[in-house]
Amino acid sequence: MSATDDTIDTEDDNIPRVGSAPDMSTRYLGLELCSPIVASASPLTGNPLMWARLQDAGAGAIVLPSLFEEQIERETSALDAAFDLAMDISGEASSFLPDLDGFDAGPARHVALVEKAREQLSIPVIASINGVTPGGWVHYARHLADAGAHAIELNLYDVVVDPRLSAADVERRYIELVEEVRAEITVPLAVKIGPWFTALAHFAIALEDAGANGLVLFNRLYQPDIDLDTLDVRPRLQLSTSAESRLPLHWMAILRDMISGSLAATTGVHDGADAMKLLLAGSDVVMTTSALLMYGPEYITAMLTWMRDWMTARDYSSVRQLRGSVSRHNVPDPDVYDRANYYQTLHSWLPPQHLGGVSGTSR
Ligand SMILES: Cc1cc2nc3c(=O)[nH]c(=O)nc-3n(C[C@H](O)[C@H](O)[C@H](O)COP(=O)(O)O)c2cc1C
């Protein structure tokens, strides 16, 4: 955002510029973004009709829906089966092979989506791959990058049910996978993880060392539900709530000063206030899905307006100026982000009147 004649412009992020609207630009994965709000992977970002609306509303970037390891493996085995069948029938396999495009529909569709998004958008387009095992499927990261993706997001969504695997085994596998993807691409790589690691700070640094340029915190884990009539176990998608942003906020604040790469917050970003808190804690960008699925792409404009007003009222001139100013390293008492927070939280509870308290349920 350029300064107008009646403003005092400065290169120094710490000196407020008088009279100008706050600069909402940020840097993520080495990319310059016009705004810190990124539309995270969902059917919304997979719909070309939504792209211009997201960009016009002020999205800094979009993440396209994931190409899943299972999708690629399925296509590959279908192709292998077709090839084997053709070889059985004739040594001249190629003349019998079915239309290969048909067998590659999933991955090919994702590659085409990246190309199309690049044609239509001026904001960065991030392609996503989603899987947990090292192997041939990671080549698709290169196909997506070759199609024009500005960066690749690798989603490590996992449910580890094998009791023979230790936490160290699982983390080693993830690191190997990150190294494999890193070796496939030259564009920046972000890794999206869940929150349930015993030593998250250690693992986060290991991901960086393995080649991640940024971390996306956190995957929202979906639990199945039981239908009490049929006893079927069913997937049950519920959109997030704003309260869920406190988990990424906590870890943004802790990791900000340990990680040299980028940090993106995802889960529970429902309004400008959620976004602002996450930036103050240390995120470079905040990602949102549920709020956009509920209110549409234009909701980004409302979030940004709220954020600009908040910043203007407090003389913040830019997102870069405030980013991380309430991180664990930057608060007077870092214990608020440690176990002391737990102790204080429990002891802040006051019993409600019906349990003999004075009023309210908590201070
Ligand atoms: C319908 C739906 C589809 C999603 N698809 C993907 C996906 O393909 N890849 C991915 O990494 N995350 C996917 N997500 C997760 C979101 O990107 C986001 O991380 C999550 O919803 C938490 O953010 P929120 O609280 O703003 O919804 C999906 C979420 C929803 C609701």
Side-chain angles (χ1 to χ4, degrees):
M1 200 169 288
S2 60
T4 54
D5 288 341
D6 61 343
T7 63
I8 302 168
D9 201 357
T10 169
E11 289 295 298
D12 188 335
D13 283 339
N14 294 317
I15 302 175
R17 288 171 300 174
V18 178
S20 60
D23 175 2
M24 302 305 284
S25 69
T26 187
R27 203 172 163 76
Y28 177 57
L29 303 175
L31 304 164
E32 285 298 326
L33 271 51
C34 61
S35 124
I37 301 200
V38 171
S40 38
S42 84
L44 190 86
T45 59
N47 180 351
L49 295 175
M50 296 295 140
W51 291 341
R53 287 174 61 183
L54 286 164
Q55 179 168 285
D56 294 347
I62 66 165
V63 185
L64 296 177
S66 297
L67 175 55
F68 288 81
E69 176 182 350
E70 292 83 350
Q71 259 174 311
I72 297 168
E73 297 296 351
R74 202 169 47 232
E75 302 296 342
T76 310
S77 14
L79 195 57
D80 286 349
F83 191 78
D84 289 348
L85 179 69
M87 287 299 282
D88 283 349
I89 299 167
S90 160
E92 301 278 320
S94 56
S95 58
F96 290 98
L97 275 177
D99 176 10
L100 293 191
D101 285 349
F103 280 89
D104 194 29
R109 229 183 4 253
H110 277 75
V111 169
L113 204 65
V114 173
E115 285 167 354
K116 197 167 176 177
R118 278 305 312 273
E119 276 165 31
Q120 294 187 14
L121 291 170
S122 56
I123 55 174
V125 173
I126 301 170
S128 165
I129 57 169
N130 202 316
V132 287
T133 29
W137 74 278
V138 303
H139 296 317
Y140 277 88
R142 187 190 301 180
H143 296 322
L144 295 169
D146 288 348
H150 287 93
I152 299 292
E153 185 176 286
L154 166 66
N155 188 331
L156 297 176
Y157 192 112
D158 205 358
V159 182
V160 182
V161 293
D162 185 344
R164 292 165 302 180
L165 287 179
S166 71
D169 294 334
V170 174
E171 290 184 13
R172 207 173 302 116
R173 172 158 54 83
Y174 294 158
I175 294 296
E176 204 183 311
L177 175 54
V178 171
E179 285 169 348
E180 281 195 3
V181 178
R182 176 73 280 164
E184 285 288 333
I185 56 171
T186 52
V187 295
L189 171 65
V191 180
K192 185 172 181 178
I193 57 171
W196 312 122
F197 290 90
T198 305
L200 183 56
H202 181 272
F203 182 58
I205 292 166
L207 287 171
E208 269 212 310
D209 291 346
N213 304 100
L215 302 179
V216 184
L217 311 176
F218 290 110
N219 260 322
R220 186 156 176 267
L221 303 184
Y222 300 104
Q223 290 81 27
D225 201 0
I226 295 177
D227 183 317
L228 284 175
D229 291 323
T230 63
L231 300 193
D232 284 337
V233 180
R234 297 217 164 120
R236 182 145 180 251
L237 177 64
Q238 276 172 318
L239 297 177
S240 66
T241 63
S242 169
E244 293 176 52
S245 65
R246 303 259 291 275
L247 185 59
L249 184 151
H250 195 171
W251 281 97
M252 285 296 145
I254 293 170
L255 293 178
R256 176 66 278 163
D257 307 297
M258 302 177 183
I259 294 289
S260 54
S262 297
L263 286 173
T266 173
T267 290
V269 180
H270 278 251
D271 55 29
D274 294 334
M276 188 52 70
K277 289 178 195 176
L278 286 158
L279 294 171
L280 287 163
S283 323
D284 297 290
V285 294
V286 293
M287 297 187 168
T288 179
T289 286
S290 292
L292 301 184
L293 291 176
M294 285 190 280
Y295 308 121
E298 289 69 28
Y299 189 63
I300 292 177
T301 309
M303 290 172 74
L304 286 169
T305 302
W306 189 96
M307 292 164 77
R308 282 198 194 92
D309 289 349
W310 188 91
M311 290 166 70
T312 303
R314 286 155 187 82
D315 286 338
Y316 282 113
S317 60
S318 69
V319 163
R320 290 165 214 245
Q321 183 194 8
L322 60 82
R323 191 210 64 161
S325 54
V326 191
S327 73
R328 183 171 175 273
H329 179 76
N330 286 329
V331 289
D333 177 13
D335 286 351
V336 292
Y337 287 118
D338 300 354
R339 190 177 148 87
N341 165 63
Y342 166 63
Y343 181 84
Q344 284 162 13
T345 304
L346 297 188
H347 289 83
S348 69
W349 190 82
L350 288 175
Q353 224 154 13
H354 70 276
L355 292 180
V358 272
S359 65
T361 53
S362 66
R363 244 188 278 263

